[in-house]
Every structure is written in structure tokens, then in C-alpha cells.
């Protein structure tokens, strides 16, 4: 018995010591394929990180690579329990030599891998195996969004990236500690950023209803935060978010940007809610977090439609 990377206990033996999970050759082959895919990704993403044009991209690719290492270790443990043998991983997918080609290939591969892991999750009988692959599929889906983001957006220099890293959700998530004023400033900056992002998308691609509705919601978020600024006598920062917005090159990339923006926004509010907050602030942050969860679901549906078309 062992506890896998996601906290689920995998026990292939019954209490009487007999092998409980049938040695399903189809499952073994799928797990072996998954191991080889992760092994290939680990090597390729190290190469892509070295080629990355900005520190932001480099850091994010390294974080994705760490996810792949976790997947590789979890799948290897499953393989050992199913077969009694150590896996013999091999690189089965080539890694392009050019950064942009590599990012595009990674995006396509992450999409295919997401579907493959969900397929394994559906077929597996053991609950811990199902959950391991379900969690891994969710990770791969997020990886695909990141790679689409890096593929679709023009290069930005490190100075621009550093400035953006201090703004909105990105700044909040990297801050070692936060005061109430810090939280309110980061929160309204991130709502400014969302508003500017969706305005830019509408200007470029027209009034796509998902973006129209969510942009209107962002105005309400800003209004709710302004009430807290007034109540706690904190100066409201000016809205200079437009300088951090880059126009996506397609509607699909616009949906991907929406997904990533909402993920970061949700993470920001989750971090804030760990603090001891006044009740009215906690209520507003919770409401805004929940609204962003709805926005995230809407953008993910839009991205899925784009991928199907």
C-alpha cells in the first residue's frame, strides 16, 4: 500500500494477501504510455525553459515541468504495483529545437494528453488510479492554457514582465505578506486588468457575448471594492491596467487569456481569505471569488467550443 502524489491510498492487495487488481494489460499499456509521455515532457520542457525569451515564461515552464515530474512518479508507482516491475521509460516524442515550435507542440500535446488521461480515468476500476489520472488531466488542461498563452502573445521584455509581476493578482500571489490596504489595492488592480483585457478583446473581435457579460460583471466588482476603499479610508489607485494588456491573435487565444486571468484572480482571493479579515471584507472577497469561478467555467466552455470547431 502507498499514498500517491494526490493523497489517495493505492492498495493492490486484499487483506488476505491475494492480488486484488487484475493485471489488465490494456491498463498497463496505457500507464506505460503515460509514463513515456511524462518522461518525454520532462526532457522537452527543460529544453524549452532554456529557450524561453522571458523570465516569466521560463519560470512557468519549470513549474509545469515539476507537475510532469509528479505525474511521472505517481504513474511509475502505479505501474510497479500493477506489474511488480520498474518501468523502463523512453522518449517517444521529439522536442523541437525552436522555442515557438516547441510551445505549439507542447500545447497540442497537452490537449491530447488531457483527453488520454480522462480516458484512463473512465476505464480504471481502482478509485485511487481514477483520481490520480483525473487530477493529472486537470493539470494538463491548465498546462495547455499556459502554452497557448505563450504561443499566442507577442514577446514582452523582462522590464515589462517585472512591472506586471508587481500588479494585480500576480503581485498579490508573490507578496510574502499582505495588509488590508495591500489586498484591496491588488484586488482592484486585478479587476481593472480584467476590465481592460475584455475591452481590448471586444475592440479586436467584436461583442462576443461571454466577454460582454463578464466585462459588465467586472464593473460591479470594482464598485464593490470601491465601497471598501471608502469605508476603510484607503486611497483608490488609478487605473493604468491597459499598459499590461496584450491583444490576443485569435478568439481562441482570447478565451485562453480569460481562463488564465480568472485562475489567477481566484487564487488571489483564496490567498486573501486565509487572513484574519473584517467580516464585510471577507464577504466581498468571497463573493468576488465565487463570481470568478463562474467566469472561469464560462471561459473554459468557450475555449472548448473553439477547440472543437
Amino acid at each position: 500500500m502507498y499514498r500517491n502524489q494526490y493523497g489517495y491510498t493505492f492498495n493492490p492487495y486484499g487483506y488476505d494477501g491475494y492480488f486484488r487488481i487484475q493485471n489488465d494489460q490494456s491498463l498497463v499499456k496505457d500507464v506505460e504510455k503515460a509514463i513515456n509521455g511524462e518522461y518525454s515532457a520532462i526532457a522537452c520542457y527543460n529544453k524549452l525553459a532554456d529557450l524561453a525569451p522571458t523570465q516569466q515564461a521560463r519560470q512557468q515552464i519549470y513549474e509545469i515541468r515539476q507537475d510532469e515530474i509528479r505525474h511521472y512518479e505517481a504513474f511509475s508507482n502505479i505501474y510497479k504495483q500493477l506489474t511488480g516491475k520498474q518501468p523502463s521509460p523512453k522518449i517517444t516524442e521529439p522536442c523541437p529545437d525552436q522555442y515557438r515550435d516547441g510551445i505549439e507542440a507542447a500545447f497540442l500535446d497537452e490537449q491530447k494528453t488531457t483527453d488520454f488521461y480522462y480516458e484512463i480515468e473512465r476505464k480504471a476500476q481502482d478509485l485511487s488510479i481514477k483520481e490520480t489520472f483525473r487530477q493529472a488531466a486537470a493539470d494538463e488542461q491548465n498546462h495547455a492554457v499556459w502554452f497557448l498563452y505563450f504561443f499566442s502573445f507577442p514577446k514582452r521584455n523582462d522590464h515589462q514582465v517585472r512591472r506586471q509581476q508587481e500588479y494585480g493578482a500576480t503581485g498579490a500571489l508573490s507578496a510574502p505578506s499582505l495588509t488590508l490596504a495591500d489586498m484591496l489595492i491588488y484586488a482592484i488592480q486585478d479587476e481593472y486588468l480584467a476590465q481592460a483585457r475584455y475591452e481590448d478583446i471586444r475592440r479586436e473581435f467584436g461583442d462576443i457575448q461571454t466577454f460582454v457579460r463578464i466585462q459588465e460583471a467586472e464593473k460591479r466588482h470594482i464598485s464593490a471594492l470601491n465601497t471598501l476603499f471608502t469605508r476603510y479610508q484607503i486611497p483608490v489607485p488609478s487605473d493604468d491596467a491597459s499598459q499590461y494588456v496584450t491583444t490576443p491573435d485569435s478568439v481562441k487565444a482570447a478565451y485562453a487569456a480569460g481562463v488564465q486571468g480568472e485562475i489567477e484572480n481566484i487564487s488571489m482571493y483564496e490567498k486573501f481569505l486565509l487572513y484574519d479579515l473584517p467580516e464585510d471584507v471577507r464577504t466581498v472577497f468571497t463573493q468576488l471569488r465565487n463570481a470568478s469561478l463562474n467566469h472561469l467555467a464560462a471561459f473554459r466552455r468557450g475555449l472548448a467550443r473553439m477547440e472543437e470547431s
Side-chain angles (χ1 to χ4, degrees):
M1 179 184 294
Y2 77 93
R3 185 168 294 276
N4 70 20
Q5 301 287 339
Y6 302 100
Y8 287 82
T9 301
F10 177 50
N11 181 11
Y13 299 96
Y15 293 109
D16 56 2
Y18 288 104
F19 198 70
R20 182 168 60 83
I21 296 178
Q22 290 185 351
N23 191 1
D24 185 329
Q25 288 304 307
S26 175
L27 178 59
V28 170
K29 287 180 180 178
D30 283 345
V31 173
E32 186 174 29
K33 180 180 176 181
I35 289 169
N36 289 337
E38 296 293 344
Y39 188 72
S40 300
I42 291 165
C44 186
Y45 294 169
N46 192 61
K47 180 178 179 179
L48 291 181
D50 288 342
L51 294 171
T54 68
Q55 182 60 32
Q56 181 198 28
R58 188 174 304 114
Q59 180 179 340
Q60 187 58 50
I61 293 169
Y62 277 134
E63 289 180 9
I64 291 172
R65 184 174 182 270
Q66 285 302 119
D67 285 346
E68 308 298 14
I69 290 171
R70 288 191 298 104
H71 298 168
Y72 172 80
E73 291 172 348
F75 299 164
S76 294
N77 281 329
I78 290 172
Y79 183 86
K80 284 185 286 186
Q81 294 292 341
L82 289 173
T83 67
K85 297 184 292 185
Q86 292 280 356
S88 300
K90 56 187 177 182
I91 292 178
T92 55
E93 301 164 14
C95 186
D97 292 326
Q98 300 299 316
Y99 174 74
R100 188 169 174 81
D101 292 341
I103 292 297
E104 182 179 18
F107 166 65
L108 296 172
D109 183 69
E110 295 285 355
Q111 287 184 301
K112 289 190 295 184
T113 301
T114 298
D115 293 339
F116 178 49
Y117 288 174
Y118 277 131
E119 181 183 350
I120 296 175
E121 185 257 342
R122 285 192 296 270
K123 293 192 300 185
Q125 298 299 309
D126 184 87
L127 292 179
S128 68
I129 295 177
K130 291 175 76 69
E131 183 61 19
T132 296
F133 277 95
R134 188 191 68 78
Q135 292 275 4
D139 288 343
E140 303 296 332
Q141 198 167 45
N142 284 334
H143 299 170
V145 171
W146 271 113
F147 284 125
L148 180 60
Y149 173 83
F150 288 130
F151 180 75
S152 301
F153 283 74
K155 295 179 183 178
R156 287 174 287 178
N157 61 44
D158 282 343
H159 175 66
Q160 289 173 303
V161 171
R162 278 196 300 273
R163 289 183 64 192
Q164 186 166 352
Q165 286 175 342
E166 299 170 357
Y167 192 87
T170 307
L173 292 170
S174 63
S177 62
L178 294 163
T179 65
L180 176 59
D182 292 334
M183 286 185 260
L184 288 174
I185 290 169
Y186 283 131
I188 203 164
Q189 285 177 341
D190 207 60
E191 302 298 345
Y192 288 157
L193 186 60
Q195 177 89 330
R197 181 187 302 120
Y198 305 146
E199 178 64 30
D200 179 70
I201 288 168
R202 290 177 63 185
R203 188 164 48 245
E204 182 71 15
F205 301 108
D207 288 337
I208 302 169
Q209 283 306 302
T210 301
F211 292 97
V212 172
R213 289 195 302 271
I214 293 177
Q215 187 183 14
E216 286 301 311
E218 301 300 346
K219 293 177 182 178
R220 295 192 292 273
H221 296 183
I222 291 169
S223 178
L225 290 168
N226 274 326
T227 300
L228 295 177
F229 275 97
T230 301
R231 186 173 299 157
Y232 290 94
Q233 299 181 337
I234 298 169
V236 180
S238 59
D239 181 357
D240 55 356
S242 60
Q243 66 180 301
Y244 302 116
V245 172
T246 305
T247 305
D249 61 6
S250 67
V251 174
K252 183 176 181 179
Y255 276 113
V259 167
Q260 194 56 47
E262 297 298 339
I263 288 172
E264 292 174 356
N265 184 268
I266 292 162
S267 299
M268 175 186 71
Y269 285 122
E270 292 283 6
K271 180 175 181 178
F272 293 169
L273 290 168
L274 295 174
Y275 283 76
D276 184 16
L277 300 169
E279 195 57 37
D280 57 343
V281 175
R282 179 171 296 278
T283 297
V284 171
F285 285 171
T286 300
Q287 290 171 343
L288 298 186
R289 187 272 315 272
N290 292 345
S292 291
L293 286 167
N294 292 332
H295 299 172
L296 175 60
F299 284 135
R300 278 181 165 159
R301 288 193 298 270
L303 184 59
R305 288 195 299 271
M306 293 294 103
E307 290 171 351
E308 290 169 0
S309 61

